[in-house]
Amino acid sequence: MKKTLSLLTLLFSAHAFSHGAVIEEEFFVAGRDQRVLEILSAHPELTIDHVSDEGFEVYGPRGTEAYLSQLNTLFYSIKSEEKNLDLDNYPSYPTITQKLQELAKKFPKIARLESLGKTVQGRELWMMKISDNAGVDEVEPEFKFISSMHGDEITGRELTLRLIEDLLESYGKDAAITELIDNSELFIMPSMNPDGSEMRRRANANGVDLNRDFPEFTRNDQNNPQGRQPETQAVMNFQKFRNFSLSANFHGGAVCVNYPWDARYDQHPFEPLVMEFSQAYADLNTPMRESRQFRGGITNGAQWYVLRGGMQDWSYLWHNDLQVTIELSDAKWPQYSEIPKFYRDNKESMLKYIQLIHQGAGVRLSDRSATGKVTILKGSQNLGTYGFQNGEFYKVLEPGQYTLQVEAMVNGQLLKKNVSAAVLKDFVETNGNFISL
């Protein structure tokens, strides 16, 4: 048996990409045998996902089935469930593109549609910006939603499309939404993996799991898009020039909010805040809040299962963008008739989570090209030093009184200044969040 396992390990390695996990076979392993889980987790070529008492998913290259057969465990092909997918009622990529273009044309002042790049198969990666002056890069808190980086986890794509339309249609009619759009820059990407969704599969068209394709700090990766998938590169290149401080990415296969870290068991430096924000989302979603698997509907990522190369950890570690992963539905591809109910369950949670971007503080500099760093103090406690660009810095924080120690090059001169900042809960007013220097 050892010889067989060794040969299969070599087979895995021969099919591995330099980044990301290659998916050619996909299975569900029944039961939660810790021995089997540990053996499989030791293979970087394999992806483990959605661990529960009922079992877990395993994705890998050719040879995965043969490898599982040697472990004396019960498993079956996930592909066998495809006959149950509602393939006819979901909108196609061209239909979604047309809808987004129509909304951008209908609301030209507050909506701006842009492509971050192209997929492996040449599809545009659409990102909708919503703000009161969508064509202008204003100094306002920046927020983003990204969905469906796994192409077969489709619920988030449909929910974000509905949210985009609701936000635009409600502007000027709903006071809370109008205030949010007037004082924020919101970015929503309904699908990071349209090729995968069109092919009805998890991976992109190269067979790579995009949520294992980002720089991984436990492997000493560099924050370099080179050699990664085009969809990953597009998101990395986009984020490099933004100042996001809060975001979420939508998945399917469970119902919960997953907060960092995913790749290690260490406590996040702002864990109470991360948990508070996660709970704020779950509390407004009855099925999530009443979860039997996840207490209160939230879970730490690594405590659930370890994930390396994920977007969530990368987003914070390299860009100070606090991101959570929101699992929307147990079924990855539910019946299309169920989508309205999922949207009703999640709409208020989505709006609440966006509003949390205003629980923070920052500085705006007269020189919009200024770069520098900010050290944050709460009393005598040093909460870290963070770099910034484009003449602005912002960070979501717990309510309280803070000192921001700013060091920056402004108009060719070195600026050093300490400023006081008060953070209030759910404070929604741009001028109250930013201090001008």
Side-chain angles (χ1 to χ4, degrees):
M1 178 177 173
K2 289 183 179 179
K3 182 178 180 181
T4 304
L5 293 182
S6 177
L7 288 172
L8 289 168
T9 301
L10 290 174
L11 179 61
F12 288 165
S13 299
H15 287 84
F17 276 68
S18 59
H19 300 291
V22 181
I23 297 175
E24 295 171 290
E25 298 178 7
E26 37 193 77
F27 302 95
F28 184 84
V29 177
R32 189 170 180 170
D33 187 322
Q34 193 62 31
R35 176 189 67 90
V36 173
L37 190 56
E38 289 176 0
I39 291 173
L40 296 175
S41 297
H43 285 281
E45 299 87 354
L46 297 177
T47 293
I48 308 298
D49 209 357
H50 294 120
V51 178
S52 71
D53 290 339
E54 286 72 39
F56 52 91
E57 300 159 19
V58 178
Y59 301 87
R62 289 193 302 275
T64 301
E65 181 176 13
Y67 190 62
L68 289 172
S69 298
Q70 300 295 319
L71 297 179
N72 192 29
T73 188
L74 178 64
F75 66 93
Y76 61 84
S77 172
I78 292 176
K79 289 291 186 183
S80 65
E81 298 180 338
E82 284 193 350
K83 62 181 181 295
N84 299 318
L85 296 184
D86 184 353
L87 304 181
D88 297 327
N89 293 311
Y90 278 85
S92 65
Y93 172 81
T95 301
I96 291 170
T97 295
Q98 181 179 356
K99 178 66 173 179
L100 290 171
Q101 290 172 337
E102 288 174 351
L103 287 171
K105 184 177 180 180
K106 183 177 179 181
F107 300 96
K109 186 176 185 298
I110 62 172
R112 182 173 180 268
L113 183 65
E114 65 175 308
S115 171
L116 304 192
K118 293 182 182 293
T119 66
V120 173
Q121 296 181 339
R123 294 182 174 90
E124 304 288 352
L125 291 163
W126 296 120
M127 177 73 81
M128 183 73 85
K129 178 184 178 182
I130 301 176
S131 190
D132 59 335
N133 294 294
V136 179
D137 184 12
E138 297 183 294
V139 181
E140 294 177 335
E142 298 180 16
F143 176 95
K144 77 174 184 301
F145 277 146
I146 291 181
S147 186
S148 301
M149 62 193 305
H150 291 149
D152 62 345
E153 297 175 11
I154 205 70
T155 308
R157 186 188 74 177
E158 301 308 308
L159 269 55
T160 51
L161 286 169
R162 283 163 171 75
L163 180 65
I164 288 171
E165 185 168 15
D166 265 0
L167 288 171
L168 296 176
E169 294 285 358
S170 299
Y171 185 72
K173 303 171 185 175
D174 182 291
I177 289 177
T178 301
E179 185 176 29
L180 194 60
I181 293 174
D182 281 346
N183 294 292
S184 320
E185 291 193 320
L186 313 179
F187 293 81
I188 303 176
M189 173 183 267
S191 178
M192 185 182 161
N193 185 8
D195 289 356
S197 294
E198 291 296 290
M199 301 166 77
R200 311 300 197 262
R201 73 182 199 183
R202 176 187 182 92
N204 74 347
N206 281 336
V208 173
D209 187 328
L210 298 180
N211 205 32
R212 306 298 187 279
D213 192 43
F214 281 83
E216 173 53 57
F217 66 100
T218 64
R219 295 193 296 249
N220 296 317
D221 275 1
Q222 300 300 308
N223 191 29
N224 185 350
Q226 186 175 357
R228 304 180 196 277
Q229 296 303 298
E231 298 89 349
T232 310
Q233 291 188 41
V235 170
M236 290 180 69
N237 289 331
F238 176 70
Q239 181 123 345
K240 180 168 60 176
F241 296 103
R242 303 304 320 174
N243 291 290
F244 294 114
S245 51
L246 184 64
S247 63
N249 73 92
F250 291 110
H251 288 250
V255 179
C256 66
V257 179
N258 174 118
Y259 60 87
W261 304 113
D262 276 334
R264 66 183 184 190
Y265 296 103
D266 303 16
Q267 188 177 70
H268 190 278
F270 289 87
E271 182 151 312
L273 182 69
V274 174
M275 293 181 68
E276 176 192 329
F277 281 14
S278 300
Q279 198 66 65
Y281 190 101
D283 280 348
L284 293 172
N285 182 321
T286 302
M288 190 176 290
R289 183 182 68 247
E290 297 179 353
S291 169
R292 294 183 178 181
Q293 181 178 0
F294 306 102
R295 184 176 180 180
I298 70 173
T299 181
N300 172 263
Q303 292 294 335
W304 188 11
Y305 59 91
V306 171
L307 184 164
R308 304 191 191 282
M311 183 166 63
Q312 175 173 276
D313 286 1
W314 165 82
S315 183
Y316 185 80
L317 280 164
W318 270 282
H319 293 286
N320 189 34
D321 173 17
L322 184 61
Q323 184 172 117
V324 300
T325 300
I326 301 173
E327 303 272 357
L328 294 168
S329 56
D330 288 319
K332 296 183 179 183
W333 200 290
Q335 295 297 307
Y336 189 69
S337 60
E338 297 180 65
I339 293 298
K341 180 186 183 302
F342 284 117
Y343 187 55
R344 290 194 298 271
D345 287 341
N346 285 275
K347 180 181 176 180
E348 293 306 313
S349 295
M350 295 166 85
L351 290 173
K352 173 65 174 180
Y353 190 75
I354 295 173
Q355 289 171 347
L356 292 172
I357 188 66
H358 291 276
Q359 186 179 304
V363 294
R364 62 156 66 91
L365 303 170
S366 57
D367 180 2
R368 289 303 307 277
S369 65
T371 61
K373 60 184 180 180
V374 175
T375 299
I376 302 177
L377 303 176
K378 188 177 185 182
S380 60
Q381 184 182 11
N382 188 323
L383 301 179
T385 299
Y386 308 88
F388 69 89
Q389 60 184 352
N390 302 331
E392 62 179 284
F393 169 82
Y394 188 80
K395 186 168 182 61
V396 290
L397 294 163
E398 293 182 276
Q401 190 71 34
Y402 296 84
T403 298
L404 305 183
Q405 297 179 339
V406 183
E407 185 174 327
M409 291 301 296
V410 179
N411 299 316
Q413 301 293 319
L414 179 63
L415 168 73
K416 288 187 176 182
K417 191 168 184 179
N418 291 357
V419 296
S420 295
V423 175
L424 306 178
K425 200 172 187 66
D426 304 334
F427 187 57
V428 184
E429 182 188 341
T430 299
N431 292 333
N433 293 96
F434 283 94
I435 299 163
S436 296
L437 296 179

